[in-house]
Amino acid sequence: MSRHTANWHDEPTNHSQPGKLPRENTEQGLSAVAGSLSITAATADPGLLDLPWQIQLEDWPAETLAPLPRGISRHVVRFAMMGGAVIAIKETGEHVARHEYHMLRKLRRLAAPCVEPVAVITGRKDLDGNDLDPVLVTRHLKYSLPYRALFSQKLRRETLTRLIDAQALLLVRLHLIGFYWGDVSLSNTLFRRDAGSFAAYLVDAETGELYPELSSGQREYDLEIARVNIAGELMDLMEAGLIEDTVDPVATSEDILHSYRGLWAELNEKESFDLAERWRVDERIRRLNDLGFDVEEISLKTSPDGGQLLIQPKVVDAGHHTRRLLRLTGLDVEEGQARRLLNDLDAYRAKKHPDTDEEIAAARWVGDVFDRITGAIPREFHGKLEPAQIVHEVLEHRWYISEARGSNVPMEEAVASYVEAVLRHRRDEARLVFGPEEQSPGN
């Protein structure tokens, strides 16, 4: 890289204290490397300065790039190494890059499932002084995959249904906080395995806007965009022979409508029942918890004749099981994984430590079960799946082989069986490599 001056900065700039770096809230301003190159970033990571910003992104040298799965994108996108981390870099217009950067920051503050923004870099020039497109830099979501990367073989209908359900849940969570996406699609989403399902994360927010509350028209328009885009994506998969011939792309794309509307109704609709059925209040809360949502408060109203109650829960956030597991064990995992691990933790406590405080029993479960399983996985398989997913799959595998044998299988034997029969044959989802013919990740 040629020699450049450094002038890191933030937006907007504050020069009220001479001699100090300008700041906005907790952001540190940073600016640049190549002539007029400027970097807007949440934190000052010097590793950004080591990347070849004077080269068009599509021409970056292979030694700079990280070999991760690539999806479909209308932009040039590349994965690169920055220190010990992996980042995604997208070339786009300056206004779009800044809008998406700030939108992703707002979504992260609202605990929305999305990728983490790192920086916006503008003022790029090649070595001949020609202008290069600005870029948005985000942090790679570990163990996540674009939807096409999930299908090395034909996609079964059941797997497709789980993907669409995950997309519907993501859309509900975004709509609850007032986010209008405007470009809902499988391509603009990353997926992580979550026990027997998937967890979906927003990866492209360039068309999104935040509002105090969305109208039903805005929500329905987002749904229609999702239906049309998913139908097109499924047609592409069918043409490539990646889904079963019996799948109807158009009919299947409508599954997101049913999944979304059912979930939205469960979270938001009022429910009326007789005074004698007051147990239905607790039942409604349990259903919401099972969906992974916490309830902040319940509004109860009696009818004019006093013969009925009207209930409307105030749902605050997803992650009910995730938060409970984190509080008890310190393990931060996906919601479905947390639900499965909590089931095992509760069974462990009931069987071995019924009179022990929940927090103490949880600490013992981490050592006796979670750490015992992860510690028994051979080092060469550590990149296959994230630890929580491995523990979930080992517990499921142990249950199946115990049922087949008709007796309880020891944990050590279950882990060894799982490694040989299942894990050895799984793709490495920490570093899944595609060939050069694939396109860039769906940002």
Side-chain angles (χ1 to χ4, degrees), residues 74 167 179-189 202 204-208 222 225-226 229 233 443:
R74 57 182 172 270
Q167 184 92 48
F179 180 76
Y180 170 75
W181 196 338
D183 194 14
V184 190
S185 68
L186 297 175
S187 298
N188 288 337
T189 308
L202 178 146
D204 190 321
E206 65 180 49
T207 58
D222 245 0
I225 291 172
N229 284 342
E233 289 164 330
N443 271 17

Side-chain angles (χ1 to χ4, degrees), residues 171-229:
L171 193 55
V172 166
R173 291 187 63 181
L174 293 173
H175 284 177
L176 283 173
I177 62 174
F179 180 76
Y180 170 75
W181 196 338
D183 194 14
V184 190
S185 68
L186 297 175
S187 298
N188 288 337
T189 308
L190 288 174
F191 296 91
R192 296 175 70 176
R193 297 190 187 277
D194 182 15
S197 301
F198 292 96
Y201 289 77
L202 178 146
V203 70
D204 190 321
E206 65 180 49
T207 58
E209 295 289 347
L210 270 171
Y211 298 91
E213 185 177 350
L214 295 185
S215 68
S216 58
Q218 287 174 308
R219 294 192 298 103
E220 286 296 321
Y221 192 63
D222 245 0
L223 266 180
E224 179 61 15
I225 291 172
R227 185 191 66 79
V228 172
N229 284 342

Side-chain angles (χ1 to χ4, degrees), residues 217 369 376 406:
V369 179

Side-chain angles (χ1 to χ4, degrees), residues 56 114 150 193 203 279 284 294 334 373 383 411 427:
Q56 289 188 90
C114 64
L150 292 167
R193 297 190 187 277
V203 70
W279 52 269
R284 180 75 180 274
D294 277 331
E334 298 288 354
I373 292 174
M411 184 65 78
R427 297 177 301 171

Side-chain angles (χ1 to χ4, degrees), residues 148-418:
R148 289 182 68 96
L150 292 167
F151 318 134
S152 59
Q153 300 176 350
K154 276 196 175 184
L155 172 64
R156 294 182 298 113
R157 172 58 192 253
E158 294 78 6
T159 306
L160 178 57
T161 298
R162 292 198 297 270
L163 279 180
I164 292 177
D165 285 345
Q167 184 92 48
L169 176 58
L170 171 62
L171 193 55
V172 166
R173 291 187 63 181
L174 293 173
H175 284 177
L176 283 173
I177 62 174
F179 180 76
Y180 170 75
W181 196 338
D183 194 14
V184 190
S185 68
L186 297 175
S187 298
N188 288 337
T189 308
L190 288 174
F191 296 91
R192 296 175 70 176
R193 297 190 187 277
D194 182 15
S197 301
F198 292 96
Y201 289 77
L202 178 146
V203 70
D204 190 321
E206 65 180 49
T207 58
E209 295 289 347
L210 270 171
Y211 298 91
E213 185 177 350
L214 295 185
S215 68
S216 58
Q218 287 174 308
R219 294 192 298 103
E220 286 296 321
Y221 192 63
D222 245 0
L223 266 180
E224 179 61 15
I225 291 172
R227 185 191 66 79
V228 172
N229 284 342
I230 291 173
E233 289 164 330
L234 296 185
M235 289 177 185
D236 290 341
L237 289 176
M238 178 161 281
E239 186 175 345
L242 294 176
I243 55 177
E244 295 175 346
D245 297 336
T246 57
V247 173
D248 181 339
V250 175
T252 304
S253 70
E254 294 178 355
D255 288 349
I256 194 170
L257 306 181
H258 307 310
S259 182
Y260 174 96
R261 288 174 180 151
L263 182 55
W264 186 266
E266 185 65 58
L267 295 173
N268 294 281
E269 280 191 356
K270 298 178 181 179
E271 183 179 3
S272 179
F273 52 90
D274 292 331
L275 289 175
E277 299 177 304
R278 282 173 286 185
W279 52 269
R280 287 173 59 179
V281 177
D282 289 335
E283 183 185 62
R284 180 75 180 274
I285 293 174
R286 283 196 299 270
R287 290 204 310 268
L288 292 169
N289 289 163
D290 287 342
L291 289 170
F293 287 84
D294 277 331
V295 177
E296 183 175 69
E297 63 185 33
I298 290 286
S299 175
L300 292 172
K301 295 181 180 180
T302 58
S303 62
D305 62 6
Q308 282 192 326
L309 284 174
L310 186 67
I311 174 177
Q312 184 170 28
K314 183 177 180 182
V315 177
V316 287
D317 195 14
H320 171 77
H321 299 94
T322 296
R323 284 189 288 273
R324 182 187 168 211
L325 186 69
L326 182 63
R327 174 177 60 82
L328 290 174
T329 68
L331 297 172
D332 190 3
V333 305
E334 298 288 354
E335 180 68 11
Q337 293 166 345
R339 183 187 295 110
R340 177 64 181 87
L341 297 183
L342 283 168
N343 286 342
D344 192 75
L345 190 161
D346 291 338
Y348 169 89
R349 182 188 179 202
K351 181 179 180 180
K352 295 192 173 184
H353 305 284
D355 301 320
T356 303
D357 179 82
E358 185 180 45
E359 284 77 9
I360 295 175
R364 291 176 177 172
W365 174 86
V366 170
D368 290 348
V369 179
F370 193 93
D371 290 347
R372 186 176 167 194
I373 292 174
T374 57
I377 301 298
R379 182 176 296 275
E380 63 266 28
F381 297 139
H382 283 186
K384 293 283 187 178
L385 297 168
E386 59 182 326
Q389 183 66 23
I390 287 178
V391 172
H392 156 72
E393 294 191 3
V394 166
L395 295 173
E396 291 291 296
H397 185 74
R398 185 188 189 194
W399 185 87
Y400 281 118
I401 62 177
S402 295
E403 184 182 46
R405 181 180 298 182
S407 62
N408 191 43
V409 174
M411 184 65 78
E412 289 77 4
E413 182 180 342
V415 172
S417 172
Y418 168 77

